Amino acid sequence: QVQLVESGGGLVQAGGSLRLSCAASGRTLSSYAMGWFRQAPGKEREFVATIRWSGSSTYYADSVKGRFTISRDNAKNTVYLQMNSLRPEDTAVYYCAASEGWPISAWRSYDYWGQGTQVTVSS
């Protein structure tokens, strides 16, 4: 079992930045692909970014490309999402997830999920 805990969410003005962290316990993350997803009220869960276990490959949703950066520190068992140039439409609960495979944006194929952290961007 892998337990994931997100942190770093909060309230920020449009144009600002936040860095989300996802800390894992139970198992080392070094063999898992990691993803970030988000869900706004009344909307479906949305893929944000993913990174391979080695960090060698990353993918981003078009809506965040060029503004968000996913990274990982396997030694610290932590994954990060640096979010810059935030927009009101980025407001959502952000979740991190772990997969033993490489499902990229297919959220149903992720094996473990955190509880989420709220990000609110004011205009």
Side-chain angles (χ1 to χ4, degrees):
Q1 287 287 340
V2 176
Q3 291 80 43
L4 302 173
V5 178
E6 303 93 339
S7 62
L11 174 64
V12 64
Q13 288 189 333
S17 298
L18 284 174
R19 188 175 82 154
L20 305 184
S21 298
C22 174
S25 60
R27 287 187 183 177
T28 177
L29 284 183
S30 60
S31 59
Y32 290 86
M34 299 298 298
W36 284 97
F37 293 79
R38 65 188 182 187
Q39 189 164 17
K43 294 189 177 181
E44 294 187 354
R45 191 169 305 189
E46 178 187 19
F47 166 73
V48 175
T50 187
I51 186 167
R52 235 185 226 283
W53 67 269
S54 63
S56 60
S57 295
T58 57
Y59 285 95
Y60 297 91
D62 288 343
S63 59
V64 307
K65 204 172 293 182
R67 299 187 298 123
F68 291 11
T69 303
I70 188 171
S71 62
R72 65 190 301 159
D73 186 337
N74 287 339
K76 294 183 178 180
N77 235 21
T78 302
V79 178
Y80 305 97
L81 185 69
Q82 178 67 43
M83 305 187 296
N84 299 329
S85 302
L86 282 161
R87 305 166 179 169
E89 54 263 39
D90 294 319
T91 295
V93 177
Y94 282 71
Y95 300 90
C96 71
S99 172
E100 296 182 8
W102 182 225
I104 306 181
S105 61
W107 67 267
R108 289 181 175 85
S109 296
Y110 282 79
D111 304 297
Y112 305 101
W113 290 84
Q115 291 301 305
T117 185
Q118 177 70 46
V119 171
T120 303
V121 184
S122 64
S123 57

